[in-house]
């Protein structure tokens, strides 16, 4: 007889299989199979898009900024024709369909920070993000909390990320509510004199390209947030964080 | 899948991109960089992308962005919707949030707005 007063062995109870598959997964399979059956898209196209989503990441964006820091001519291109500059770091915004991704469009703009202007990006309406060059958006970027507060209390939100900016620096929030996607080009920090492109790429974190952090010599990771584990995580690199 | 009814967007924009596919299709831009503009308070039943927090606020044109159908038309797949100019508009934070903005007076916010939502300030 167990402690809670009935007579069976919990350790031997077989969990029904259905508990292991969430409603979301059931519906995802139903929707995908119906779309393929009706010819809306093919299984090959689904795989093509999944592979695209799995190969994108922060590195091309970091390299684009590092190149700009080292080469004034490339920086001028990055600011005047960012789509062309992206090709130099291996990102073609017309991929993977020939006309861009349907949700990221082909209108990219790089926001140049100066000693007196600091940019930070948000999509208050949803989660628009320059995915082809910066990868998948962080979970916090998609939360109603960030989207509601950063437009109105940017300095308070930035301070929660550990970024305190003096009053003399204009904080400029960029709300990506239409077809433009934005990325921040931070000011090159002190202590990086003589660094190679690869060294500079390492400190250009995702957070510094969103604008919630400044690049700093010796800091090569994003702000540590409490990661919520997925039920069935994607094992590959490039999974949304 | 050949008999599935689709719009022509993916064919027209191939090799060109969206919004590049709409270039040259709008009327001449009404505003230029530096112009002061006020955001109109249009009816927004069912769909809009002009945030409530900029309605009635005055800002300046920071950039003439591109030509595109407005999202209020595009979201319903209105095929003959006429493209219009979009602008990145810069607002003083104190203009948007008034006294309740706690940061310095030079803080700003930029957002992109189609021409129909803007009037000369």
């Amino acid at each position: 007889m167990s402690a809670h007063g009935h007579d069976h062995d919990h350790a031997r109870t077989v969990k029904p299989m259905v508990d292991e598959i969430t409603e979301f997964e059931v519906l995802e399979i139903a929707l995908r199979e119906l779309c393929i059956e009706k010819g809306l898209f093919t299984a090959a196209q689904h795989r093509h898009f999944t592979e695209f989503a799995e190969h994108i990441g922060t590195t091309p964006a970091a390299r684009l900024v590092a190149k700009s820091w080292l080469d004034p001519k490339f920086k001028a291109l990055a600011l005047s024709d960012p789509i062309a500059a992206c090709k130099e770091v291996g990102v073609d915004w017309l991929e993977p369909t020939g006309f861009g991704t349907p949700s990221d469009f082909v209108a990219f703009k790089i926001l140049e920070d100066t000693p007196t202007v600091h940019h930070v990006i948000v999509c208050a309406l949803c989660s628009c993000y320059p995915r082809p060059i910066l990868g998948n958006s962080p979970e916090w970027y998609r939360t109603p909390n960030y989207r509601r507060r950063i437009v109105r209390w940017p300095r308070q939100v930035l301070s929660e990320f550990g970024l305190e900016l003096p009053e003399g620096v204009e904080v400029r929030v960029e709300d990506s509510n239409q077809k433009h996607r934005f990325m921040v080009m931070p000011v090159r920090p002190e202590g990086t004199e003589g660094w190679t492109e690869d060294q500079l790429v390492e400190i250009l974190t995702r957070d510094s390209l969103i604008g919630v952090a400044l690049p700093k010599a010796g800091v090569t990771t994003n702000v540590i947030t409490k990661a919520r584990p997925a039920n069935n995580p994607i094992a590959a690199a490039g999974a949304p964080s | 899948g050949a008999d599935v009814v689709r719009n022509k967007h993916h064919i027209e924009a191939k090799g060109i991109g969206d919004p590049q596919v709409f270039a040259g299709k709008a009327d001449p831009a009404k505003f230029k960089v530096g112009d002061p503009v006020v955001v109109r308070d249009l009816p927004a039943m069912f769909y809009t992308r002009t945030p409530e927090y900029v309605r009635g606020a005055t800002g300046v044109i920071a950039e003439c962005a591109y030509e595109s159908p407005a999202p209020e038309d595009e979201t319903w797949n209105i095929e003959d919707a006429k493209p219009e100019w979009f602008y990145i508009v810069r607002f003083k934070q104190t203009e948007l949030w008034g006294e309740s903005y706690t940061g310095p007076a030079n803080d700003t916010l930029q957002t992109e707005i189609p021409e129909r939502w803007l009037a000369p300030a």
Side-chain angles (χ1 to χ4, degrees):
Chain A
M1 194 84 174
S2 64
H4 56 281
H6 56 255
D7 194 16
H8 65 250
D9 183 353
H10 280 234
R12 286 170 169 272
T13 305
V14 177
K15 253 175 116 186
M17 286 287 284
V18 73
D19 269 1
E20 294 168 21
I21 301 171
T22 62
E23 270 186 10
F24 177 89
E25 288 165 305
V26 171
L27 291 171
E28 187 277 326
I29 293 164
L31 186 64
R32 173 161 43 88
E33 292 195 341
L34 272 169
C35 285
I36 292 167
E37 188 181 310
K38 292 189 175 295
L40 295 182
F41 54 77
T42 65
Q45 285 169 331
H46 185 273
R47 179 178 176 144
H48 186 52
F49 246 91
T50 305
E51 286 175 351
F52 174 82
E54 285 184 352
H55 95 268
I56 55 176
T58 309
T59 312
R63 192 158 296 281
L64 187 148
V65 173
K67 275 183 183 296
S68 300
W69 282 349
L70 292 170
D71 178 359
K73 269 176 79 180
F74 184 78
K75 179 175 168 181
L77 177 72
L79 297 175
S80 65
D81 190 352
I83 300 285
C86 287
K87 282 193 187 151
E88 303 289 315
V89 293
V91 172
D92 183 350
W93 280 75
L94 290 180
E95 290 293 315
T97 61
F99 60 91
T101 82
S103 56
D104 306 299
F105 301 99
V106 189
F108 179 51
K109 193 170 162 55
I110 298 169
L111 307 166
E112 185 192 13
D113 281 357
T114 70
T116 54
V117 180
H118 175 82
H119 294 87
V120 59
I121 63 165
V122 63
C123 170
L125 292 174
C126 49
S127 58
C128 297
Y129 191 77
R131 288 190 304 163
I133 187 143
L134 201 48
N136 287 305
S137 61
E139 186 189 3
W140 55 258
Y141 184 87
R142 307 172 211 145
T143 59
N145 184 319
Y146 179 75
R147 290 156 46 199
R148 172 179 176 270
R149 295 200 301 140
I150 191 76
V151 293
R152 185 165 181 168
W153 295 281
R155 286 174 185 268
Q156 285 86 341
V157 174
L158 293 177
S159 79
E160 289 167 20
F161 280 97
L163 178 55
E164 303 267 1
L165 294 160
E167 294 233 331
V169 175
E170 170 188 338
V171 171
R172 185 178 293 164
V173 180
E174 182 75 62
D175 187 354
S176 27
N177 60 327
Q178 304 278 2
K179 291 183 177 176
H180 254 125
R181 299 291 175 264
F182 301 91
M183 179 181 96
V184 178
M185 179 188 289
V187 176
R188 182 171 171 179
E190 289 174 14
T192 60
E193 295 76 17
W195 280 27
T196 64
E197 187 178 301
D198 284 346
Q199 283 177 297
L200 294 170
V201 164
E202 281 194 21
I203 60 165
L204 282 157
T205 61
R206 177 200 71 200
D207 287 355
S208 72
L209 301 168
I210 293 173
V212 297
L214 294 180
K216 198 174 169 218
V219 178
T220 56
T221 56
N222 292 310
V223 66
I224 308 295
T225 53
K226 210 175 202 173
R228 292 193 294 172
N231 288 340
N232 295 312
I234 301 166
S241 59
Chain B
D3 54 345
V4 174
V5 179
R6 301 169 194 265
N7 65 31
K8 298 189 185 75
H9 195 64
H10 63 295
I11 299 164
E12 289 164 353
K14 196 139 193 159
I16 302 168
D18 180 349
Q20 287 81 348
V21 68
F22 301 112
K25 293 186 177 171
D27 288 336
K30 263 192 202 153
F31 306 105
K32 59 182 190 309
V33 171
D35 283 356
V37 287
V38 63
V39 182
R40 303 173 66 198
D41 194 6
L42 297 176
M45 197 180 278
F46 299 123
Y47 194 77
T48 186
R49 282 201 192 179
T50 300
E52 281 185 36
Y53 67 75
V54 297
R55 310 267 173 87
T58 299
V60 295
I61 304 287
E63 185 170 324
C64 300
Y66 49 75
E67 296 156 81
S68 168
E72 289 84 353
D73 295 334
E74 210 170 37
T75 199
W76 308 115
N77 194 28
I78 296 172
E79 296 248 8
D80 59 351
K82 186 168 170 61
E84 62 194 86
W85 275 96
F86 281 58
Y87 304 87
I88 296 177
V89 185
R90 183 178 304 163
F91 301 91
K92 292 262 183 204
Q93 287 280 28
T94 49
E95 165 75 4
L96 299 178
W97 315 111
E99 299 270 305
S100 77
Y101 188 71
T102 55
N106 61 339
D107 282 357
T108 53
L109 179 145
Q110 295 188 158
T111 189
E112 206 160 79
I113 303 176
E115 195 168 83
R116 65 177 64 178
W117 281 90
L118 299 174

